[in-house]
Structure formats: C-alpha cells, structure tokens
Amino acid sequence: AGMFKADDRLAKHANVGAVVFHTAQGDIRVRLREDLSPVVAGMFKAFASKPGASGSFYRSEAVPEPGAIDNFGGPGPPYALVQGRLDGNQRSDLPREGAPKVRRGHACLIGGGPDFFIAVGGHPEWGNGHTVWGEVDLDEMRTVDAITRLDVKKETWGE
C-alpha cells in the first residue's frame, strides 16, 4: 500500500464521497478514502446507496486511562473504538488495502470484514494492521465520542 506521511488525513475540504451513519446520538459522516482503499471504500459506498441500507454499532470502548496496559503491552482496556457491522453484509473476503497507523477518526475494516470500527483514539501499537477505508473529521467526532459515553453492558472476554 506504499508509504504514508506522518499526517495522512484528508484535507478539510477534499472533494471525496462520504457515507453517513444515522444514530440516536446524531449523524456520523465518514469521508471515503478511495485514495487508500478503493475496493473497500467502494464497497461501503455501494452498500450505503442501496435503499433501506442499515447497520448497527454493537461495541463501544472509551479511551483508556493513562498508564492502562493490556496483556499485549498496548494501551487498554478499554480500546478506544466504536465497532459496527452493516446489516446483511456478511462479506469477509475484502482485500487488505491502505493501512497507515490507525489514528483518531479513522474508519477501519476488521480483517476482511464484515465488521469495522471507528477509532476514538490513535493506535500506533497496531502498526499497519487495519485497512483504513474512511475518516471522520476530527471536529465531527462528537457523535462517536457520545456513543462511548453511553451506558453499556460490561463484558470481559473469557469470563
């Protein structure tokens, strides 16, 4: 996927397509990164253009407290992300495309799909592990941040 600049964000007024997730907390506009990940961004664009397209966010984790370290040596838990899936989209064969270090606002595919997340915080510890298919403007992260503050059912894997 080539080299990525230290700050690879889209220009504020870049003329790119977007998908919008309508939630009870407000809209989340994800600008498509077809420059990084044309196939994956194209799939989200095509899905969003279907009548009745829907999905859900089912995992929400705030930014971890300073000093929180997990069993892998990275920050967390929690893991600073909001995770979702598009309804009826069971596609798990999407290609690995542009994968810069995950930064706040990046919309990333998990593996080959169908699940994805929007990063609430930066994740340099994940290296180049996730295809970045879109990005939420930093000044438009209010809704994503609000989702991480909702009351949630606490689950600990393995318990």
Side-chain angles (χ1 to χ4, degrees), residues 10 14 24 32 36 41-42 50 60 103 108 115 123 136 139 159:
L10 285 169
L32 297 170
L36 288 177
K50 293 178 186 172
S60 167
R103 298 168 57 124
C108 305
D115 296 6
H123 290 286
V136 178
D139 61 356
E159 289 183 2

Side-chain angles (χ1 to χ4, degrees), residues 5-40:
K5 294 184 286 185
D7 187 352
D8 64 343
R9 293 196 184 281
L10 285 169
K12 178 74 179 143
H13 300 291
N15 185 18
V16 297
V19 295
V20 178
F21 296 96
H22 303 289
T23 76
Q25 284 65 47
D27 289 350
I28 301 170
R29 184 175 68 108
V30 180
R31 299 191 305 161
L32 297 170
R33 291 301 307 259
E34 292 177 287
D35 59 320
L36 288 177
S37 304
V39 173
V40 177

